[in-house]
């Protein structure tokens, strides 16, 4: 049901019956390594190219999610995934392996919540029994495409972020045990004129604020309604900027209730500069770490605002600014 | 360049620009420069040592020793790039490791290694100069213009 | 684009400026001479008289820019290799011209070969020591000088 | 010889600092920075200033990428001296070829030997 201008409220509260996350070596050294289902020691995952490794990440996460949800791959009705690679080949190739109808979605690093919102919508209106949705990214595959060759010695400024190697997948179903999806607010493209591709957090912060504001307005609730509001990958700078922006707009948000996936995933001292980013960032942290904490009863209501920077290497070279987007999904458990 | 770009922005965007700038972690310019100075200087000292080595043991003069020295430095760049060390050094040293000829070598070699998965012809061959190509292009073209002007000036202007 | 060009010019000027400044600076750092030469810098030859070389070395060493010099000669040729004090190295081309001129005036009957190259300096030094010790004949020295001349003229 | 090492260190370091300033202050990409430095090297040699710098600082001036521009101009001028204006075109790579050919050869060998470590 539509509420306000751009929020869906799901009366049937679709359930995330199972999730799975897969990570790489860098994530294995991170803060939330225990929340991953599968961690790889080798960035290549035994494949002969980074792109293939990227595909394998997503495949493994999908199979693991199905295994945990106790279903066969024939029962999956839709796959809704996306990633950052040109023409989204890792997602498409992984979908080829599963063989279910496939909808590729692109929202850059906000893909995870875009997929989850769409899945919830379809499931809510009886469109499917089981939907696999997720997002993935692979550090070196993404670096290779967006920046320089991985072995190239270019100094990154302190505003830069580290692309996560990982895939997070959720299995969404109309009934079952697990966290429930109650509402979702779709983002609009916000461009505040930042053009530095090494400052994604600063570019994406206004998009996150825009979506959070819209969600609260549409739902007619206060920020304190949620036990925790989690942004996708704003990093240190983006988080600070967005907090100040919200204060400026009169939204009172307690600092400890405002988390960022990009800051949760890695340990202090890992050379990630401003924090983590990438489509896999919000996917792995939400589907792994945060839902685990939810199931342990740490919090009941969570709003996940995944943020994405919709740029390409081409637009950057053509001196375009970076348009950004954020999608919010509210998840509740217990209570 | 940054200013020109900013002019095209709307007032709201400009306001946000300033808002964001205030909260952005500044680049540690002074620290970076000091690091660049020491690492860059050190690489040049290594180059000088290699020069003396070639001059002492082979028939190279100060004039001709540049080529073997450069080749050796590029070779070292290959080893360090291949072992995955050069990008680590670069994150510390910045321009200190990219301005010396080793940085040029690193740009070529890293691209070559990276695109090996696309095959030797289309991958390695096609992408080798994707970073360093501009250096060759602008170096060659600038040299062409400079040399042309100078030649003309000397020949017909009686200069030089 | 204009900004880019201005920046380019600024940086160029900066480098030029810095380079000039260094030139004016005092000789604060002067390398020690690592090559040992005879006290007079020349050698006595049994067969070929090295007095011309001896004279040349004296004249060149008298110049304030020159740190060290070594020379050998035959009856027709004079090969002089010298090292410039570091702070004068910016003007090496000019110094070379001056020295060439000076030597031509001093020894009009000799073909003068001058080099400031370190390698040539080493080699000349070696050659001189050899003349000193073994007493090479005119032909042998000529051959060596020719070789060094060729080496000093190589560009790449 | 020690003076040579010292000045190689200082001049080489200074050139790298200029590059760092271009990256950090003028926000240029590495490719822009290196291209600019090469052009500066070519221009300096045009004014006859780079050669003295090499005399003075040795590897401190030959190792930074600026020397690339310098030697391109040098080769061109050398050939132009011998063969007139057409030499400008043909002589360009005469002196510089070592850097480029070394990069090509070792780049290919590198591709045969290594894979990116990430």
């Amino acid at each position: 049901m539509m509420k306000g201008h751009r929020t869906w409220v799901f009366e049937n509260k679709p359930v995330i019956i199972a999730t799975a996350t897969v990570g790489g070596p860098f994530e294995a050294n991170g803060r939330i390594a225990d929340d991953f289902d599968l961690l790889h020691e080798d960035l290549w995952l035994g494949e002969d190219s980074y792109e293939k490794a990227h595909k394998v990440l997503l495949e493994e996460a999908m199979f693991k999610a199905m295994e945990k949800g106790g279903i066969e791959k024939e029962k999956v009705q839709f796959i809704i995934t996306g990633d950052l690679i040109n023409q989204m080949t890792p997602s498409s190739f992984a979908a080829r392996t599963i063989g279910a109808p496939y909808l590729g979605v692109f929202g850059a690093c906000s893909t995870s919540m875009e997929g989850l919102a769409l899945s919830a919508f379809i499931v809510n209106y009886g469109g499917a029994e089981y939907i696999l949705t997720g997002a993935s990214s692979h550090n070196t595959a993404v670096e290779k495409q967006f920046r320089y060759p991985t072995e190239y010695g270019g100094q990154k400024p302190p505003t830069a972020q580290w692309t996560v190697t990982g895939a997070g997948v959720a299995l969404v179903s109309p009934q079952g045990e697990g966290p429930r999806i109650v509402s979702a607010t779709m983002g609009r493209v916000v461009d505040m004129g930042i053009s530095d591709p090494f400052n994604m957090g600063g570019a994406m912060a206004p998009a996150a604020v825009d979506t959070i504001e819209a969600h609260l307005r549409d739902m007619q609730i206060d920020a304190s309604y949620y036990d925790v509001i989690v942004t996708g990958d704003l990093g240190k700078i983006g988080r600070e900027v967005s907090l100040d922006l919200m204060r400026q707009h009169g939204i009172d948000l307690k600092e400890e209730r405002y988390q960022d996936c990009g800051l949760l995933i890695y340990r202090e001292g890992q050379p990630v500069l401003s924090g983590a980013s990438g489509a896999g960032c919000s996917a792995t942290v939400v589907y792994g770490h945060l839902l685990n904490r939810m199931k342990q009863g740490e919090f009941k209501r969570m709003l996940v605002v995944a943020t994405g920077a919709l740029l390409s290497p081409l637009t950057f070279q053509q001196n375009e600014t970076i348009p950004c987007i954020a999608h919010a999904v509210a998840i509740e458990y217990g209570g | 360049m940054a200013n020109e770009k900013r002019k095209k922005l709307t007032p709201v965007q400009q306001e946000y620009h300033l808002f964001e700038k205030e909260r952005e972690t500044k680049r540690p310019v002074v620290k970076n420069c000091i690091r660049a100075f020491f690492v860059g200087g050190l690489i040049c000292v290594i180059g000088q040592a290699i020069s003396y080595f070639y001059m002492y043991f082979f028939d190279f003069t100060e004039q001709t020793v540049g080529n073997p020295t450069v080749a050796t430095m590029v070779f070292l760049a290959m080893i360090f790039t291949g072992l995955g060390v050069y990008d680590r050094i670069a994150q510390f040293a910045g321009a200190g490791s990219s301005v010396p000829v080793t940085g040029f070598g690193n740009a070529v070699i890293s691209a070559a290694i990276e695109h090996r998965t696309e095959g030797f012809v289309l991958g390695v061959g096609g992408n080798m100069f994707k970073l360093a190509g501009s250096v060759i292009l602008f170096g060659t073209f600038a040299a062409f213009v400079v040399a042309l002007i100078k030649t003309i000036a000397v020949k017909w202007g009686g200069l030089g | 684009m204009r900004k880019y060009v201005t920046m380019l010019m600024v940086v160029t000027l900066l480098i030029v400026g810095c380079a000039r400044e260094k030139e004016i600076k005092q000789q604060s750092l002067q390398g020690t001479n690592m090559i040992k030469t005879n006290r007079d810098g020349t050698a006595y030859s049994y067969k070929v008289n090295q007095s011309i070389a001896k004279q040349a070395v004296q004249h060149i060493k008298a110049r304030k820019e020159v740190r060290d010099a070594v020379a050998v000669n035959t009856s027709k040729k004079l090969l002089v290799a010298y090292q410039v004090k570091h702070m004068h190295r910016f003007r090496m081309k000019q110094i070379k011209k001056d020295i060439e001129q000076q030597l031509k005036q001093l020894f009009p009957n000799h073909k003068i070969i001058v080099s400031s190259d370190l390698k040539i300096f080493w080699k000349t030094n070696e050659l001189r020591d050899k003349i000193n010790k073994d007493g090479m004949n005119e032909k042998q020295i000529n051959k060596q000088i020719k070789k060094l001349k060729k080496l000093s003229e190589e560009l790449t | 010889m020690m003076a040579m090492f010292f000045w190689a260190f200082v001049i080489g370091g200074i050139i790298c600092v200029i590059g760092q300033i271009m990256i950090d202050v003028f926000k240029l990409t590495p490719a822009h920075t290196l291209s600019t430095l090469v052009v500066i090297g070519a221009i300096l040699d045009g004014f006859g200033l780079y050669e003295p710098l090499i005399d003075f600082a040795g590897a401190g001036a030959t190792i930074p990428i600026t020397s690339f521009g310098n030697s391109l101009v040098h080769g061109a001028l050398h050939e132009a001296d011998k063969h007139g204006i057409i030499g400008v075109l043909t002589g360009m790579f005469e002196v510089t070829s070592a850097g480029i050919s070394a990069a090509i050869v070792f780049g290919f060998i590198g591709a045969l030997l290594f894979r990116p470590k990430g």
Side-chain angles (χ1 to χ4, degrees):
Chain A
M1 189 186 76
M2 188 79 172
K3 194 172 179 187
H5 285 287
R6 45 184 165 127
T7 301
W8 290 328
V9 175
F10 308 119
E11 304 87 348
N12 300 329
K13 295 186 178 170
V15 187
I16 302 174
I17 57 169
T19 59
T21 53
V22 181
F26 209 68
E27 289 63 36
N29 289 322
R31 202 197 305 251
I32 57 165
D34 292 342
D35 290 307
F36 280 93
D37 293 297
L38 207 64
L39 284 165
H40 285 277
E41 235 175 53
D42 172 23
L43 208 50
W44 293 83
L45 275 67
E47 300 294 319
D48 54 18
S49 80
Y50 283 140
E51 289 73 17
K52 282 183 192 165
H54 192 340
K55 178 201 75 172
V56 171
L57 274 180
L58 186 59
E59 273 178 11
E60 284 178 346
M62 283 176 170
F63 279 113
K64 193 83 194 164
M66 287 186 283
E67 183 195 316
K68 281 166 89 177
I71 61 160
E72 299 293 312
K73 72 175 184 182
E74 285 72 26
K75 292 190 97 173
V76 174
Q77 271 138 347
F78 290 105
I79 297 169
I80 304 178
T81 55
D83 55 69
L84 299 168
I85 301 301
N86 280 342
Q87 287 82 36
M88 282 188 348
T89 46
S91 286
S92 308
F93 286 19
R96 175 181 67 187
T97 310
I98 308 287
Y102 159 68
L103 302 170
V105 288
F106 182 80
C109 311
S110 70
T111 304
S112 60
M113 288 306 119
E114 186 178 351
L116 189 63
L118 286 171
S119 310
F121 189 89
I122 295 170
V123 167
N124 189 54
Y125 293 104
E129 282 292 306
Y130 294 104
I131 296 182
L132 267 181
T133 180
S136 59
S137 57
H138 188 289
N139 181 288
T140 39
V142 172
E143 279 302 290
K144 176 177 172 179
Q145 182 182 318
F146 278 88
R147 305 212 170 92
Y148 300 116
T150 51
E151 294 306 328
Y152 178 65
Q155 195 177 32
K156 286 179 185 155
T159 49
Q161 288 172 278
W162 179 277
T163 307
V164 167
T165 304
V169 168
L171 187 58
V172 183
S173 181
Q175 61 267 310
E177 260 307 296
R180 291 175 170 269
I181 305 158
V182 288
S183 62
T185 301
M186 305 324 284
R188 54 184 184 133
V189 177
V190 177
D191 186 343
M192 286 309 237
I194 302 278
S195 54
D196 180 3
F198 281 122
N199 187 11
M200 300 285 214
M204 294 189 296
V209 172
D210 181 76
T211 302
I212 293 173
E213 272 185 308
H215 180 78
L216 298 180
R217 201 184 323 117
D218 287 350
M219 295 296 288
Q220 290 162 344
I221 48 174
D222 198 65
S224 58
Y225 176 84
Y226 291 105
D227 299 323
V228 63
I229 293 179
V230 195
T231 49
D233 50 2
L234 293 181
K236 266 180 222 142
I237 292 145
R239 178 171 182 270
E240 206 177 305
V241 171
S242 58
L243 254 178
D244 286 349
L245 260 182
M246 278 191 278
R247 286 202 187 112
Q248 212 181 37
H249 295 189
I251 298 173
D252 182 36
L253 200 57
K254 298 251 173 353
E255 205 158 315
E256 67 274 10
R257 285 193 174 188
Y258 188 58
Q259 300 283 346
D260 183 65
C261 297
L263 294 173
L264 286 169
I265 185 163
Y266 294 125
R267 226 181 272 284
E268 280 296 311
Q270 277 184 298
V272 295
L273 302 163
S274 187
S277 71
C281 176
S282 54
T284 51
V285 176
V286 172
Y287 295 151
H289 178 69
L290 288 170
L291 288 187
N292 282 352
R293 274 168 73 180
M294 218 173 192
K295 285 174 190 162
Q296 283 154 17
E298 241 184 272
F299 36 78
K300 291 197 175 97
R301 297 175 183 142
M302 171 166 77
L303 182 69
V304 183
V305 188
T307 45
L310 306 170
L311 83 166
S312 84
L314 210 75
T315 62
F316 156 64
Q317 282 164 9
Q318 291 169 348
N319 283 334
E320 298 257 15
T321 53
I322 304 173
C324 296
I325 197 164
H327 299 295
V329 175
I331 302 172
E332 292 184 2
Y333 185 71
Chain B
M1 220 155 51
N3 277 330
E4 268 169 45
K5 222 183 266 172
R6 205 168 296 164
K7 269 178 213 146
K8 278 184 238 146
L9 301 180
T10 64
V12 184
Q13 285 178 324
Q14 285 184 25
E15 196 186 315
Y16 177 71
H17 232 275
L18 297 175
F19 185 86
E20 196 273 337
K21 267 271 149 11
E22 257 172 54
R23 287 154 182 83
E24 195 179 306
T25 320
K26 297 283 169 298
R27 296 185 188 210
V29 179
V30 176
K31 197 167 91 184
N32 281 351
C33 283
I34 293 171
R35 287 168 165 185
F37 180 78
F38 277 99
V39 177
L42 191 69
I43 291 176
C44 291
V45 165
I46 294 170
Q48 188 67 52
I50 294 173
S51 293
Y52 277 140
F53 171 79
Y54 280 121
M55 273 162 69
Y56 196 82
F57 291 103
F58 300 91
D59 270 351
F60 288 108
T61 61
E62 279 176 30
Q63 192 68 235
T64 56
V65 82
N67 280 344
T69 307
V70 163
T72 311
M73 293 303 272
V74 171
F75 174 76
L76 291 177
M78 174 191 86
I79 300 292
F80 282 106
T81 305
L83 295 176
V85 183
Y86 206 89
D87 54 332
R88 309 280 153 85
I89 299 173
Q91 183 57 31
F92 175 82
S97 63
S98 58
V99 170
V101 74
T102 46
F104 176 78
N106 168 249
V108 174
I109 294 153
S110 64
I113 294 175
E114 181 91 347
H115 291 279
R116 185 195 170 169
T117 51
E118 284 101 278
F120 284 114
V121 175
L122 300 176
V124 177
N127 290 292
M128 201 177 221
F129 285 105
K130 84 175 184 184
L131 287 165
S134 60
V135 174
I136 297 178
L137 164 62
F138 285 102
T140 310
F141 192 70
F144 175 71
V145 173
V146 167
L148 197 66
I149 292 173
K150 200 161 177 189
T151 310
I152 292 172
V154 170
K155 278 241 154 81
W156 289 290
L159 224 149
Chain C
M1 190 57 214
R2 252 182 60 207
K3 177 125 193 243
Y4 197 75
V5 172
T6 344
M7 199 198 72
L8 209 130
M9 281 170 64
V10 167
V11 175
T12 314
L13 286 176
L14 211 101
I15 299 175
V16 176
C18 285
R20 283 263 175 250
E21 207 177 62
K22 289 271 142 49
E23 202 175 353
I24 300 159
K25 257 194 200 162
Q26 276 191 335
Q27 312 167 12
S28 55
L29 235 138
Q30 188 185 314
T32 47
N33 179 18
M34 311 246 319
I35 306 121
K36 295 256 169 4
T37 49
N38 287 351
R39 217 162 294 141
D40 59 354
T42 55
Y44 176 73
S45 167
Y46 300 109
K47 281 184 182 156
V48 183
N49 188 347
Q50 292 288 318
S51 65
I52 298 281
K54 213 170 176 178
Q55 275 180 48
V57 165
Q58 262 170 10
H59 278 289
I60 291 168
K61 272 193 172 173
R63 300 182 71 96
K64 66 173 187 342
E65 310 97 331
V66 175
R67 205 182 66 203
D68 202 355
V70 62
V72 284
N73 72 292
T74 61
S75 56
K76 288 202 187 76
K77 284 182 186 166
L78 172 63
L79 169 65
V80 179
Y82 60 95
Q83 286 289 289
V84 174
K85 284 180 184 159
H86 206 95
M87 277 309 160
H88 292 283
R89 285 185 72 98
F90 276 119
R91 299 193 301 115
M92 287 233 293
K93 238 183 190 166
Q94 190 56 45
I95 293 171
K96 190 174 176 185
K97 253 187 207 161
D98 292 352
I99 288 179
E100 241 166 10
Q101 197 115 45
Q102 192 186 1
L103 290 174
K104 256 178 204 160
Q105 272 170 7
L106 283 168
F107 312 104
N109 298 329
H110 282 76
K111 194 171 174 252
I112 313 275
I113 302 146
V114 172
S115 174
S116 61
D117 203 283
L118 184 58
K119 180 75 188 178
I120 306 294
F121 184 83
W122 287 342
K123 284 267 189 190
T124 313
N125 209 38
E126 237 170 66
L127 180 62
R128 190 208 54 199
D129 285 348
K130 219 172 164 193
I131 295 170
N132 223 355
K133 232 171 88 194
D134 309 339
M136 298 160 84
N137 62 28
E138 175 103 14
K139 207 173 158 194
Q140 284 170 315
I141 301 176
N142 246 338
K143 204 175 147 196
Q144 289 299 320
I145 291 180
K146 218 180 201 170
K147 233 168 123 184
L148 288 181
K149 181 177 188 290
K150 210 175 145 201
L151 187 64
S152 74
E153 278 164 357
E154 269 176 25
L155 250 185
T156 47
Chain D
M1 226 151 103
M2 283 330 280
M4 203 58 162
F5 277 115
F6 177 79
W7 287 111
F9 182 80
V10 172
I11 299 293
I14 287 174
I15 296 175
C16 291
V17 168
I18 292 168
Q20 186 72 41
I21 288 172
M22 288 201 257
I23 294 174
D24 275 350
V25 180
F26 295 95
K27 300 271 160 74
L28 298 185
T29 66
H32 280 87
T33 308
L34 296 186
S35 304
T36 313
L37 283 173
V38 167
V39 174
I40 290 172
I43 293 171
L44 281 179
D45 195 47
F47 288 112
L49 291 170
Y50 207 87
E51 204 62 6
L53 193 68
I54 292 178
D55 285 338
F56 181 73
T62 54
I63 294 294
I65 199 76
T66 37
S67 77
F68 197 70
N70 161 66
S71 45
L72 283 164
V73 173
H74 238 69
L77 286 178
H78 187 70
E79 279 287 295
D81 223 30
K82 276 198 274 182
H83 306 297
I85 218 92
I86 202 76
V88 171
L89 209 58
T90 55
M92 209 118 56
F93 284 97
E94 202 132 284
V95 191
T96 336
S97 44
I100 298 177
S101 45
I104 294 175
V105 169
F106 292 134
F108 191 67
I109 294 175
L112 292 171
L113 291 179
F114 302 106
R115 24 189 236 168
K117 298 274 185 302

